[in-house]
Amino acid sequence: MRQQAEGHKLDAQEVAVYRWLALHRRFDPSRMAAELALSEAEVTRGVDSLLQLGLFQRDMEGDGVLRAVDPHLAAAVASAPVERAIREQEISLRALRDQFAQLSSHYEEGLRGTPATLETIPALSEVRAALNRAAEMCREEMITVQPGGTRAPEVLKDALARDSDALARGVRIRTLYHHTARFNSPSQAYVALASALGAEYRTAHQLCGRMIVFDRALAFLPDHRGTWGAVAIREPSVVHFLCELFEQAWTEAQPFSDAAADGLEAVAKDLDRTILRLLATGRKDETIARRLGMSLRTTRKHIADIMQTLGAESRFQAGFAVATQGLLGDDDAGYDTTDPRDVR
């Protein structure tokens, strides 16, 4: 009976048969079939199934009398082996965690003895676990750079829960997004909720790359091989350098606001100006897309629209038009072009 109950799901016919027998307390196949619009064979199968599940008991004196059993009692009997298995699994899980926890002190001792403390975390699940652990241990400050214009709602939901806990402990949270995030409704909602709790957000057209730093002591960077892994860095000089990069970008960024509130036309013009600046220095489409947090397809559409506006058929003509018309102005004369990977 127990084995059948564990994997059994009551169907509509069995529910109807249980109700009829609970009310009439006598097995009358022909009458049941007529009143329930079932065949006698279906009625018999339903009764046999309910008996095996322990939902009915036959009267000791026979005469076709069936006594209904309280479903809660039947469920308690049927679920007992399942609950016992769950308890056994919980005991095994706690034992496994305790066993591995005994090794943590040795692991941390090994990290302290490493000259350049750098750890590669290969799997996404391990990265999330490491980030959650670092967030729980964070006590003063968390700074983050999140390139890209959109983030999945489920990711934002998890981030909000983690950030809310940190903010409640008095941790200062600052995050940099691309300007394109201002067009994304989930990002707007997330920033509004977290800002109300004390977090700070700014946006910029160009960002150095994804990173998160806890208490200026532990930094996470994405794996350069394009996997979902990450690199955890504890070396003080490297972490300090990353924090300085963040502070420079933070100073030049703008407070996060809804693009519609700023005026879509003004935002679009600012975006086109940044693309012009990157085109003038010979950046590839892929580099421009990465720096602006946009898809390659969207970036190429913006570039095509700009070239059409300039009346240019090639990038050389576009660059000439930008220079002769003074579209970038003197403030862009010193724009950095030192990274050879970004130039055609």
Side-chain angles (χ1 to χ4, degrees):
M1 179 190 73
R2 292 177 177 176
Q3 291 181 348
Q4 181 176 354
E6 291 176 20
H8 188 87
K9 183 177 181 180
L10 293 174
D11 58 29
Q13 291 181 1
E14 291 170 334
V15 173
V17 168
Y18 179 88
R19 181 178 184 277
W20 196 97
L21 287 171
L23 293 174
H24 297 86
R25 297 176 56 84
R26 179 173 294 278
F27 180 40
D28 188 340
S30 58
R31 182 182 171 188
M32 291 175 65
E35 294 184 8
L36 297 177
L38 300 173
S39 68
E40 291 191 19
E42 290 174 328
V43 168
T44 301
R45 282 197 298 271
V47 171
D48 290 342
S49 177
L50 294 173
L51 284 168
Q52 292 177 4
L53 291 172
L55 288 166
F56 278 102
Q57 291 183 354
R58 295 187 185 276
D59 191 275
M60 297 297 295
E61 298 179 359
D63 298 329
V65 176
L66 294 175
R67 181 174 62 83
V69 175
D70 183 346
H72 294 94
L73 295 178
V77 174
S79 62
V82 178
E83 292 178 347
R84 183 168 57 253
I86 292 174
R87 288 194 297 270
E88 292 173 353
Q89 289 292 325
E90 289 177 341
I91 293 173
S92 298
L93 178 60
R94 286 195 296 269
L96 180 63
R97 287 177 173 172
D98 291 344
Q99 180 181 359
F100 280 89
Q102 295 175 6
L103 305 177
S104 62
S105 60
H106 304 304
Y107 173 76
E108 293 171 0
E109 183 181 359
L111 289 178
R112 289 193 295 269
T114 304
T117 49
L118 185 148
E119 176 187 6
T120 300
I121 309 174
L124 178 60
S125 59
E126 295 175 353
V127 173
R128 287 175 173 169
L131 287 174
N132 289 336
R133 174 175 170 80
E136 291 173 0
M137 299 179 65
C138 185
R139 291 296 176 267
E140 296 182 4
E141 181 185 46
M142 181 166 62
I143 57 177
T144 307
V145 180
Q146 292 287 357
T150 61
R151 295 178 72 190
E154 58 272 16
V155 173
L156 292 174
K157 181 179 179 180
D158 292 341
L160 182 61
R162 181 190 65 204
D163 294 349
S164 298
D165 291 341
L167 289 166
R169 297 195 305 271
V171 175
R172 184 187 183 189
I173 295 180
R174 290 183 292 163
T175 302
L176 281 170
Y177 285 107
H178 271 121
H179 281 330
T180 47
R182 294 186 289 170
F183 293 90
N184 182 249
S185 296
S187 295
Q188 293 169 5
Y190 164 75
V191 168
L193 290 171
S195 295
L197 298 175
E200 303 169 62
Y201 298 89
R202 293 185 182 182
T203 64
H205 270 315
Q206 300 182 69
L207 295 174
C208 58
R210 190 179 308 278
M211 73 173 184
I212 181 168
V213 184
F214 298 93
D215 287 337
R216 296 183 176 256
L218 171 60
F220 289 87
L221 299 179
D223 192 311
H224 75 284
R225 292 168 295 185
T227 67
W228 289 104
V231 177
I233 302 171
R234 295 177 176 82
E235 207 288 317
S237 296
V238 177
V239 175
H240 175 76
F241 175 77
L242 294 174
C243 291
E244 288 297 305
L245 281 180
F246 176 88
E247 294 298 346
Q248 180 179 351
W250 181 262
T251 301
E252 298 174 354
Q254 301 175 13
F256 190 106
S257 60
D258 189 335
D262 293 342
L264 294 176
E265 183 178 354
V267 174
K269 286 183 178 179
D270 191 18
L271 177 62
D272 287 347
R273 181 178 176 82
T274 303
I275 293 176
L276 274 174
R277 191 180 296 124
L278 293 170
L279 283 174
T281 56
R283 294 307 198 263
K284 300 179 181 179
D285 293 354
E286 293 81 358
T287 300
I288 296 175
R290 185 176 65 252
R291 291 210 176 178
L292 300 183
M294 297 192 303
S295 68
L296 182 59
R297 180 178 179 181
T298 301
T299 301
R300 284 175 171 165
K301 183 178 185 305
H302 276 283
I303 293 173
D305 291 342
I306 290 172
M307 293 182 65
Q308 182 178 5
T309 301
L310 293 173
E313 297 182 358
S314 66
R315 295 197 176 212
F316 176 80
Q317 291 180 355
F320 180 78
V322 169
T324 56
Q325 297 177 34
L327 297 178
L328 293 181
D330 296 338
D331 61 318
D332 300 303
Y335 188 79
D336 176 29
T337 60
T338 57
D339 189 349
R341 295 174 300 175
D342 292 345
V343 181
R344 288 190 181 277

